[in-house]
Amino acid sequence: SGSRACHAWRGVGILPRLPGAYIASIRLGPRFISQQQSDNNKKTTTIKPIKTSNVNVPPVSVREGHHDVLPLVPSAARRARTVNMHSTRHTDEYAWLQNPEDTGTQQYLHDEDMYRSALLASLSPVRHSLFKDMTRATSDQLLSLPEQYGGWLYYVRRPANANFPVYCRRKVGETNEQEEIMIDQNTEGSDFPYIAVETLKVSPNQSLLAYTRDTTGTELHHLVIRTLNNYIPSPGDAGALLARPGTILEIIPNVMSHEWAGDNKTVFYTTRDTLGRPYRVMRHVIGQPHDEDEIVFQENDDKMFLDITRTKDEKFILMTSSSKTKTEVRTLPIEENPTMKPKMFLPRQDMFEYFVEHNGDKFFIVTNQDAENYKIV
């Protein structure tokens, strides 16, 4: 669902060599055990792996003759917390680590990071060598194939030496030099410790862009609405709609999916409940406070997830409630009044799944009804 351009290099290797006096001072955490071995008359401590939490830590060695000393293996404090769940009493001594705002959690993560850096310091030349080999094998600038929408070609490119992609468009028949940069994720991400730009949707008149953005790494997205270079306010527009091209108009929190209505001013979007399940479709009009947005539909079955899309011919908005075994779709004509109530397509039934598309004057349905491997109706 969109592009994620954040990767981390990880590896394992030989520990820095330590003088014999220091070997005994190394504090081994619960993931390791040690055993003295003899190798060419040199004292060697081999830290053998044991399997914990489905993670098998490879063995590494510590030899005499080097004066770098590893930091202590981080050890999280135990803070017992007992809860009753499903008629079972459970004690979790590490539940406090779930709170990212806890100073103890932050310090523990910092200590783990410092330990990792020291443990893998000897691998730095290998990492740089691998990175150079990989970058030599790829193009300095990656460019996606353009996709035409109306009179515009939309595409994504990644400039040389850039960490994140740039989302662009140009008019059909124009050259790349005449492109418009809709979002430069490298520039937009400079104000945040983390950024991931997800689903991008252009308004029907292609003058407004709505996209979801995660700036915390928690996959909690905000919906951002901004003007594009061809944006011109319409007669009677007021407030935010009087903005200049390239301006952010709205930022709406806790958004999963979204679609434009046909009036170029209304956006439908889904929000998540306290468990992270998308369960509501909201209707937002640009220029109005988002806390006044109206609920269009709410999915009360906590086994069903709610998504909003549009048909490929851009005639209908689809509000789809789905689980592993059943589906229910509601439709809303895009060109009609966006305040209309969506119409149920087919009611949900156990073990009945269906997916809807539209073309011309007909709906096309892919369903498992009387067809184990699905059929088209």
Side-chain angles (χ1 to χ4, degrees), residues 1-143:
S1 61
S3 62
R4 287 185 172 88
C6 184
H7 302 280
W9 291 92
R10 289 186 170 88
V12 294
I14 303 301
L15 292 175
R17 295 179 180 179
L18 308 180
Y22 287 113
I23 292 179
S25 69
I26 298 176
R27 177 183 171 194
L28 300 178
R31 289 176 293 178
F32 303 98
I33 57 176
S34 64
Q35 177 182 351
Q36 293 291 331
Q37 294 183 345
S38 175
D39 180 17
N40 297 329
N41 298 322
K42 289 187 177 182
K43 291 182 179 179
T44 302
T45 295
T46 298
I47 302 176
K48 297 241 178 173
I50 58 174
K51 195 169 184 181
T52 61
S53 302
N54 298 321
V55 177
N56 192 21
V57 183
V60 292
S61 299
V62 180
R63 289 180 178 271
E64 290 184 346
H66 200 283
H67 296 284
D68 293 332
V69 181
L70 287 175
L72 298 181
V73 178
S75 178
R78 296 184 176 185
R79 305 177 188 174
R81 188 179 75 180
T82 303
V83 295
N84 292 316
M85 184 177 296
H86 307 302
S87 302
T88 301
R89 188 176 178 85
H90 174 67
T91 300
D92 188 348
E93 296 179 331
Y94 300 103
W96 63 273
L97 287 170
Q98 295 176 344
N99 180 12
E101 304 301 325
D102 189 299
T103 56
T105 301
Q106 296 172 2
Q107 183 63 49
Y108 177 72
L109 292 176
H110 175 267
D111 293 344
E112 284 277 9
D113 192 47
M114 295 298 293
Y115 182 75
R116 174 196 56 80
S117 297
L119 187 69
L120 304 180
S122 62
L123 282 180
S124 180
V126 179
R127 289 198 301 270
H128 288 297
S129 177
L130 288 172
F131 180 75
K132 288 181 180 179
D133 288 344
M134 292 179 182
T135 53
R136 277 196 298 266
T138 59
S139 172
D140 286 342
Q141 176 169 299
L142 300 179
L143 182 67

Side-chain angles (χ1 to χ4, degrees), residues 71-227:
L72 298 181
V73 178
S75 178
R78 296 184 176 185
R79 305 177 188 174
R81 188 179 75 180
T82 303
V83 295
N84 292 316
M85 184 177 296
H86 307 302
S87 302
T88 301
R89 188 176 178 85
H90 174 67
T91 300
D92 188 348
E93 296 179 331
Y94 300 103
W96 63 273
L97 287 170
Q98 295 176 344
N99 180 12
E101 304 301 325
D102 189 299
T103 56
T105 301
Q106 296 172 2
Q107 183 63 49
Y108 177 72
L109 292 176
H110 175 267
D111 293 344
E112 284 277 9
D113 192 47
M114 295 298 293
Y115 182 75
R116 174 196 56 80
S117 297
L119 187 69
L120 304 180
S122 62
L123 282 180
S124 180
V126 179
R127 289 198 301 270
H128 288 297
S129 177
L130 288 172
F131 180 75
K132 288 181 180 179
D133 288 344
M134 292 179 182
T135 53
R136 277 196 298 266
T138 59
S139 172
D140 286 342
Q141 176 169 299
L142 300 179
L143 182 67
S144 71
L145 293 174
E147 179 180 352
Q148 183 170 348
Y149 177 45
W152 295 82
L153 294 173
Y154 293 83
Y155 55 96
V156 182
R157 61 179 175 83
R158 192 192 69 195
N161 302 318
N163 292 322
F164 299 104
V166 179
Y167 301 89
C168 309
R169 70 174 183 173
R170 67 176 188 270
K171 289 184 178 180
V172 174
E174 291 184 345
T175 63
N176 286 349
E177 288 72 23
Q178 297 170 291
E179 74 177 9
E180 173 187 352
I181 295 177
M182 299 187 296
I183 304 175
D184 185 343
Q185 196 168 331
N186 300 281
T187 301
E188 188 150 341
S190 62
D191 296 330
F192 306 102
Y194 170 92
I195 188 169
V197 172
E198 301 290 343
T199 309
L200 292 83
K201 301 288 179 71
V202 180
S203 62
N205 64 6
Q206 300 186 73
S207 68
L208 293 166
L209 176 67
Y211 60 98
T212 51
R213 183 179 72 184
D214 173 14
T215 58
T216 62
T218 58
E219 297 189 358
L220 297 176
H221 297 85
H222 288 60
L223 178 65
V224 182
I225 303 174
R226 70 192 312 160
T227 60

Side-chain angles (χ1 to χ4, degrees), residues 280-298:
R280 274 181 180 169
V281 173
M282 309 293 293
R283 180 175 54 247
H284 175 74
V285 179
I286 297 175
Q288 296 183 1
H290 64 79
D291 55 3
E292 297 179 6
D293 292 347
E294 296 185 18
I295 300 174
V296 178
F297 173 71
Q298 177 168 313

